[in-house]
């Protein structure tokens, strides 16, 4: 039985996180992804910290199920080899700054000359136009420009704060993967091969608008959010650790009152209606914290669940590995990598009822598949050896550690 994207070939010239994550989604769903890397260097995440046997965790976690082809695109023969790989490819993905791909000879026009119907994908930081288009981009800069940092701070007047995970990078990867499959579907239905453009800035602003931009929605009636709804997180201390409790409906509010044995809250005018409870959120959350601080996390989680109050423990990264909910859904999987050893990773989030589980192939060593892929595209042994000798291509020795 085939995977959803079996039979599609993707040429991946991306590096770091946004592009590699996008193409890994496609690879996990069955696409053949050829990761094009510079000989001797490769994806910069190969050099990240937390390494074993030459492989970094960052590289492994964003390049599963791909094949690595090491080509020097600054050499004419290396560029020609890439063009040959593109001839029977369905998708080409790059995440260089606007204009760089064109200068390298791998812009849309050049690739479409050898593959007229290809889906050409450009992932950028700040978009193709405007004064920031050519700027170097890192995740914190997008958090700043998109207003995500301000939102994370709470009120417009509060000190902005970064989200402590690279939301723009990862979100952009997921948006790009979905857009690629949409473009492939459109092509199956008769549309031409398209140029799909996704910027990190676009992805984050779109993401935020669905819940955090209500104050800017009504044209002519915008307002500054000078006051945060609350500076108190929905994380509560107990005598043995932290838990999260969140209630929205009247039914859940009444369930919380019963679980905490605080009937007097029903007589407090500050909490009479949902609007009152929102207007007096700090007082409500402070009282909840005061009550939860009197007993253990285990006690409260059991009692809150008994009364139907939405709640969960706050897990550390280590706790997550052993939690029964994660185990019951088999979210974390372990597999053997031929060089890096046994790995623990999250399985693909989307599961397909009529498709087999993904066969996990660990992220490849730099150039591990160069010879095989070139041979599949018409290069004989002598031609491959010549490319390697002149430095236009590179191959990895069996079980070679990346540097």
């Amino acid at each position: 039985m085939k995977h959803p994207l079996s039979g599609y070939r993707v040429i991946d010239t991306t590096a770091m996180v946004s592009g590699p994550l996008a193409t890994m989604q496609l690879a996990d769903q069955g696409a053949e992804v050829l990761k094009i890397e510079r000989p001797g260097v490769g994806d910069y995440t190969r050099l990240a910290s937390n390494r074993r046997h030459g492989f970094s965790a960052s590289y492994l976690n964003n390049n599963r199920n791909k094949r690595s082809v090491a080509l020097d695109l600054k050499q004419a023969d290396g560029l020609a080899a890439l063009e040959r790989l593109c001839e029977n490819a369905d998708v080409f993905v790059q995440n260089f700054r606007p204009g760089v791909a064109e200068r390298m000879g791998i812009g849309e026009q050049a690739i479409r000359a050898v593959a007229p119907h290809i889906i050409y994908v450009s992932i950028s930081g700040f978009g193709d136009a405007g004064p920031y288009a050519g700027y170097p981009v890192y995740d914190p800069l997008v958090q700043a420009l998109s207003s995500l940092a301000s939102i994370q701070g709470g009120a417009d007047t509060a000190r902005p704060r970064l989200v402590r995970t690279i939301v723009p990078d990862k979100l952009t990867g997921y948006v790009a993967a979905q857009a690629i499959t949409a473009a492939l579907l459109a092509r199956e239905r008769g549309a031409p091969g398209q140029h799909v453009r996704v910027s990190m800035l676009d992805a984050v602003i779109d993401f935020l608008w669905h819940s955090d931009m209500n104050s800017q929605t009504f044209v002519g009636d915008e307002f500054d959010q000078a006051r945060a709804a609350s500076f108190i997180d929905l994380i509560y201390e107990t005598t043995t650790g932290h838990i999260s409790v969140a209630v929205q409906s009247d039914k859940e509010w009444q369930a919380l009152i019963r679980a905490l044995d605080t009937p007097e809250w029903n007589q407090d005018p500050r909490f009479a209606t949902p609007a009152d409870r929102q207007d007096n959120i700090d007082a409500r959350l402070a009282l909840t914290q005061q009550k939860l601080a009197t007993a253990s996390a285990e006690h409260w989680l059991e009692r809150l669940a008994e009364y139907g109050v939405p709640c969960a423990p706050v897990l550390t990264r280590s706790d997550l590995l052993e939690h029964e909910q994660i185990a019951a859904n088999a979210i974390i999987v372990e597999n053997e990598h031929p060089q890096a050893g046994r790995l623990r990773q999250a399985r693909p989030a989307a599961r397909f009822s009529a498709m087999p589980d993904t066969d996990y192939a660990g992220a490849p060593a730099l150039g591990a598949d160069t010879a095989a892929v070139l041979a599949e595209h018409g290069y004989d042994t002598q031609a491959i050896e010549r490319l390697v000798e002149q430095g236009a291509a590179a191959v990895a020795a069996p079980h070679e550690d990346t540097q």
Side-chain angles (χ1 to χ4, degrees):
M1 188 180 296
K2 294 182 178 180
H3 295 285
L5 295 179
S6 293
Y8 289 102
R9 175 170 289 161
V10 178
I11 305 299
D12 176 13
T13 66
T14 68
M16 299 301 283
V17 175
S18 61
L21 174 57
T23 55
M24 193 181 84
Q25 302 302 307
L26 308 179
D28 283 346
Q29 294 175 6
E32 180 191 14
V33 176
L34 304 182
K35 184 175 178 68
I36 311 301
E37 302 183 76
R38 182 180 170 188
V41 180
D43 190 320
Y44 186 76
T45 60
R46 289 183 181 275
L47 307 177
S49 60
N50 187 17
R51 302 158 61 82
R52 187 166 70 185
H53 304 313
F55 286 83
S56 74
S58 178
Y59 171 75
L60 291 166
N61 287 332
N62 290 288
N63 292 283
R64 178 175 64 201
N65 290 325
K66 301 179 186 180
R67 305 172 77 188
S68 174
V69 180
L71 297 174
D72 186 351
L73 303 184
K74 294 182 178 180
Q75 295 198 33
D77 287 344
L79 184 57
L82 174 64
E83 291 174 347
R84 187 178 296 190
L85 301 187
C86 290
E87 289 177 0
N88 63 352
D90 298 284
V91 181
F92 182 93
V93 191
Q94 58 92 359
N95 66 345
F96 299 103
R97 275 184 263 172
V100 173
E102 287 72 19
R103 292 195 294 272
M104 293 174 62
I106 59 172
E108 180 187 9
Q109 185 175 354
I111 298 302
R112 206 170 290 289
V114 298
H117 305 294
I118 203 165
I119 305 300
Y120 188 94
V121 183
S122 298
I123 298 174
S124 65
F126 294 132
D128 295 330
Y132 286 24
Y135 282 15
V137 182
Y138 292 103
D139 194 277
L141 308 183
V142 179
Q143 291 202 36
L145 193 62
S146 67
S147 81
L148 175 56
S150 178
I151 291 169
Q152 187 68 10
D156 292 349
T157 55
R159 187 187 191 284
R161 296 182 180 277
L162 294 178
V163 179
R164 289 186 176 271
T165 184
I166 53 173
V167 169
D169 270 302
K170 293 186 285 188
L171 176 64
T172 302
Y174 285 106
V175 170
Q178 190 280 326
I180 290 167
T181 56
L184 287 171
L185 177 61
R187 195 182 68 175
E188 293 288 336
R189 293 179 171 178
Q194 301 181 59
H195 189 161
V196 176
R197 295 175 175 87
V198 179
S199 81
M200 294 167 67
L201 186 61
D202 266 299
V204 176
I205 291 177
D206 177 19
F207 175 75
L208 294 174
W209 217 275
H210 303 286
S211 63
D212 302 293
M213 293 294 190
N214 293 339
S215 63
Q216 307 303 313
T217 296
F218 295 114
V219 177
D221 289 306
E222 304 87 354
F223 59 90
D224 293 335
Q225 292 189 254
R227 182 175 65 89
S230 177
F231 286 105
I232 302 175
D233 289 330
L234 296 178
I235 301 294
Y236 299 99
E237 294 181 18
T238 72
T239 58
T240 58
H242 294 84
I243 64 174
S244 180
V245 181
V247 298
Q248 294 290 335
S249 66
D250 282 323
K251 180 180 178 181
E252 291 168 348
W253 171 245
Q254 292 302 323
L256 179 67
I257 288 175
R258 292 193 297 274
L260 300 184
D261 193 21
T262 54
E264 66 276 11
W265 291 2
N266 269 328
Q267 309 307 315
D268 193 321
R270 295 175 298 175
F271 311 139
T273 68
D276 292 329
R277 293 195 291 274
Q278 184 62 32
D279 289 340
N280 296 284
I281 186 172
D282 284 342
R284 174 168 57 86
L285 298 186
L287 287 173
T288 303
Q289 172 61 90
Q290 183 179 345
K291 186 68 177 181
L292 292 174
T294 63
S296 69
E298 296 77 14
H299 166 79
W300 286 123
L301 289 170
E302 182 178 355
R303 185 169 174 84
L304 290 166
E306 177 186 350
Y307 282 85
V309 178
C311 62
V314 176
L315 303 181
T316 66
R317 281 165 273 207
S318 297
D319 293 338
L320 178 144
L321 301 180
E322 306 297 333
H323 193 271
E324 60 185 357
Q325 184 63 29
I326 283 77
N329 288 279
I331 297 173
I332 307 299
V333 296
E334 294 188 10
N335 290 280
E336 204 69 37
H337 189 283
Q339 291 130 293
R342 192 154 187 82
L343 304 180
R344 180 187 295 112
Q345 295 180 314
R347 62 173 293 161
R351 307 183 189 192
F352 298 86
S353 65
M355 303 291 171
D357 288 339
T358 299
D359 295 323
Y360 297 100
L366 177 59
D369 305 288
T370 303
V373 170
L374 291 178
E376 292 165 9
H377 288 77
Y379 284 83
D380 60 25
T381 302
Q382 291 74 26
I384 295 171
E385 290 176 350
R386 187 167 58 253
L387 287 173
V388 173
E389 287 172 1
Q390 67 189 35
V395 297
H399 303 296
E400 176 185 346
D401 286 350
T402 55
Q403 298 301 314

